[in-house]
């Protein structure tokens, strides 16, 4: 019922350019009635300040379903000519002070404003049902949240 497997680098890398227009309708096509589509995206108003190749602390967040805490860092470079950001993110999960897993992911994305993402989801036949400002489901604040997590449904 729910699609969780499209990271923001797949969806928002070239969201404004063909052939990526088909990504959101494709996600919609995989949803059953009552299903949800979730994705995370970088908040341009906050993230644009950290796209200079420096290692950036993105925060510590509690993962409600596992009881773990995740510490997220990232390193990004923005190409002003293409508008594409490339880099990496490191996720270190822990429980009771002990590391349970570490994941490093290559990142490539195109910054997209939340309102524009809402429009693209709507044009794909999806409606936004919620938006969070981090993994512990804190309310999204466009002035301070480094990224946002969007839930959408049919």
């Amino acid at each position: 019922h729910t699609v969780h497997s499209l990271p923001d680098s797949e969806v928002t890398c070239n969201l404004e350019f063909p052939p990526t227009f088909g990504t959101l309708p494709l996600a919609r096509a995989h949803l059953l009635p009552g299903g949800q589509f979730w994705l995370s995206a970088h908040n341009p108003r906050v993230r644009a300040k950290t796209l200079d190749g420096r290692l950036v602390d993105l925060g510590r967040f509690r993962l409600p379903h596992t009881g773990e805490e995740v510490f997220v860092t990232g390193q990004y470079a923005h190409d002003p000519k293409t508008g594409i950001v490339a880099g990496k993110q490191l996720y270190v999960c822990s429980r009771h002070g002990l590391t349970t897993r570490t994941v490093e992911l290559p990142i490539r994305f195109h910054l997209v404003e939340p309102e524009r993402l809402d429009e693209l989801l709507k044009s794909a036949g999806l409606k936004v049902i919620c938006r969070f400002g981090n993994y512990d489901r804190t309310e999204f604040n466009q002035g301070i949240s480094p990224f946002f997590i969007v839930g959408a449904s049919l």
Side-chain angles (χ1 to χ4, degrees):
H1 289 261
T2 303
V3 177
H4 287 283
S5 61
L6 295 174
D8 66 331
S9 57
E10 292 291 325
V11 177
T12 61
C13 177
N14 289 306
L15 196 56
E16 300 286 348
F17 308 104
T20 316
F21 286 130
T23 304
L24 295 175
L26 181 63
R28 183 194 181 281
H30 283 84
L31 292 178
L32 296 173
Q36 298 176 353
F37 173 61
W38 289 84
L39 68 106
S40 64
H42 296 265
N43 177 7
R45 294 187 189 178
V46 173
R47 200 54 70 127
K49 301 171 190 171
T50 62
L51 302 177
D52 57 7
R54 292 177 294 134
L55 185 64
V56 179
D57 178 354
L58 302 176
R60 291 182 183 269
F61 310 99
R62 183 159 168 71
L63 300 175
H65 298 303
T66 67
E68 294 171 298
E69 180 180 60
V70 60
F71 176 56
V72 185
T73 58
Q75 191 170 15
Y76 315 95
H78 179 252
D79 181 345
K81 186 175 180 180
T82 64
I84 300 296
V85 176
K88 63 182 178 179
Q89 283 185 332
L90 181 65
Y91 298 81
V92 178
C93 297
S94 64
R95 185 178 293 119
H96 307 298
L98 300 173
T99 299
T100 56
R101 55 196 159 131
T102 301
V103 178
E104 182 175 299
L105 298 174
I107 298 292
R108 181 177 156 87
F109 60 90
H110 185 224
L111 290 175
V112 61
E113 292 287 342
E115 298 82 9
R116 178 64 180 139
L117 184 56
D118 291 355
E119 292 170 8
L120 293 165
L121 287 164
K122 184 177 179 180
S123 70
L126 296 164
K127 64 179 177 177
V128 174
I129 55 173
C130 60
R131 179 177 284 113
F132 301 115
N134 64 40
Y135 297 109
D136 65 8
R137 299 185 178 196
T138 300
E139 184 178 344
F140 174 67
N141 180 322
Q142 200 159 10
I144 62 172
S145 300
F147 58 91
F148 54 98
I149 301 165
V150 177
S153 67
L154 298 174

